[in-house]
Amino acid sequence: MDKDKSKLIVLEDRVPKLKEQRKHKTNRRLIFYLSLFFILILFIVYSQSSLSNISKIEVIGNEYVGSKDVIKASNLTNKTSYWEVDKDQVSELVEKHPEIQTATIIKSFPNKVTIKVKEYERTAYVFSNGTYFPVNENGKVLKAIESSEMISSAPLLVEWNDPEAIQEMVQELAKTPVSLASSISEIYYMPTKAEPLQVEVFMNDGREVSAKIKNFSEKIVYYPAIVKELTPEQQGVIDLEGNSFTPYKKNEHKSGE
């Protein structure tokens, strides 16, 4: 009997503790569900109100196209709901811009959107009637710009009036090593009956190159090797078709205007 009484007393001592533990457990559970409920309510209020509108639109990776133009192409505004932004759809809209090659949309909670773009390189500028027109690597002639807006060191195509010839020249420049393309100052289209694709190229080092549009990228790579055989004082015309050099006559020195 004493042993049974001892066990009964121990059990009676544990009952209040068990009740207290259950109470705490119940309270914790209640707090968890209440918190979850309020978070859900807050989320619904946030998503249905202007608080979920985009607060910041950032553009990165752009060099030629202004951030405002990229944002305009995306159709995103500060009135657009963060949750309504379809990344694939916005990418397609931005990529319709003639200077944008690819666009990636990054959403950062709670309401920031970043537009990461990759632009087509500008391979040339067409200079006509005092106006500069950029031409990108896919041959697209873009709207006119001011000379101060010319960012890249791409060659200047002076007074080219044949769109097809421009396209062919740009395609060749796109295949030309960047180091060589950037060393070209100006290119003049000089077609003749015998050679309708003839061009005269003026280099930054002061020399002149006679070449044809066709296979220009393959021929111009020999220019550095030819120049190595000349002294800085030897100025004249390098014929890429004949791999020859003709010095300027005395008191004669041509240069692109």
Side-chain angles (χ1 to χ4, degrees):
M1 290 293 291
D2 290 339
K3 287 184 179 180
D4 292 338
K5 284 183 179 181
S6 175
K7 289 181 181 180
L8 184 61
I9 292 171
V10 172
L11 184 60
E12 287 177 348
D13 288 339
R14 290 184 60 190
V15 166
K17 291 182 181 180
L18 291 171
K19 287 182 178 180
E20 189 68 24
Q21 288 175 357
R22 287 176 183 172
K23 184 179 179 181
H24 283 305
K25 190 174 181 180
T26 303
N27 288 342
R28 284 198 299 268
R29 216 177 260 175
L30 179 62
I31 292 170
F32 171 77
Y33 286 121
L34 285 173
S35 300
L36 190 62
F37 174 75
F38 282 115
I39 289 172
L40 183 61
I41 293 296
L42 288 172
F43 179 78
I44 293 172
V45 171
Y46 161 75
S47 61
Q48 298 299 319
S49 70
S50 60
L51 293 173
S52 66
N53 289 352
I54 299 172
S55 64
K56 184 177 181 181
I57 305 173
E58 182 183 25
V59 180
I60 58 176
N62 57 319
E63 182 180 11
Y64 308 123
V65 186
S67 295
K68 289 183 179 179
D69 290 334
V70 175
I71 294 172
K72 184 178 179 181
S74 73
N75 280 347
L76 297 178
T77 70
N78 289 333
K79 293 183 179 179
T80 305
S81 171
Y82 175 85
W83 302 105
E84 293 178 357
V85 176
D86 185 316
K87 293 191 287 186
D88 292 335
Q89 187 179 55
V90 176
S91 291
E92 289 179 9
L93 289 173
V94 176
E95 287 169 5
K96 287 181 179 180
H97 192 287
E99 293 202 66
I100 304 298
Q101 186 174 6
T102 60
T104 303
I105 310 304
I106 305 167
K107 296 173 68 176
S108 304
F109 188 81
N111 44 22
K112 177 185 174 183
V113 174
T114 301
I115 305 174
K116 183 179 180 180
V117 300
K118 180 183 179 183
E119 300 167 312
Y120 288 109
E121 289 296 327
R122 289 183 178 179
T123 53
Y125 291 92
V126 175
F127 179 70
S128 180
N129 298 321
T131 306
Y132 296 90
F133 299 89
V135 186
N136 60 27
E137 61 185 279
N138 62 351
K140 180 76 174 178
V141 180
L142 308 170
K143 64 181 181 180
I145 62 171
E146 300 292 331
S147 58
S148 59
E149 298 178 78
M150 295 172 63
I151 299 174
S152 70
S153 57
L156 199 62
L157 307 184
V158 183
E159 301 298 342
W160 287 55
N161 299 313
D162 186 340
E164 290 186 8
I166 291 174
Q167 291 285 332
E168 289 186 53
M169 189 72 246
V170 168
Q171 288 174 9
E172 288 299 312
L173 288 172
K175 294 185 287 185
T176 301
V178 176
S179 59
L180 274 174
S182 61
S183 68
I184 299 172
S185 174
E186 300 166 6
I187 304 177
Y188 290 77
Y189 182 42
M190 308 287 285
T192 64
K193 288 184 178 180
E195 184 46 67
L197 297 177
Q198 184 71 30
V199 293
E200 296 298 318
V201 183
F202 290 92
M203 310 298 288
N204 290 329
D205 61 9
R207 294 186 175 87
E208 183 182 349
V209 172
S210 177
K212 297 176 183 178
I213 297 176
K214 187 177 181 180
N215 299 327
F216 176 84
S217 60
E218 297 177 13
K219 298 284 186 177
I220 195 65
V221 295
Y222 297 110
Y223 179 80
I226 296 173
V227 170
K228 277 186 178 180
E229 302 298 321
L230 305 173
T231 64
E233 293 75 25
Q234 288 181 293
Q235 297 293 312
V237 181
I238 295 174
D239 184 355
L240 290 182
E241 296 300 316
N243 290 325
S244 62
F245 172 73
T246 304
Y248 291 132
K249 293 179 182 179
K250 192 175 181 180
N251 298 325
E252 177 190 13
H253 182 80
K254 295 183 179 181
S255 63
E257 294 295 324

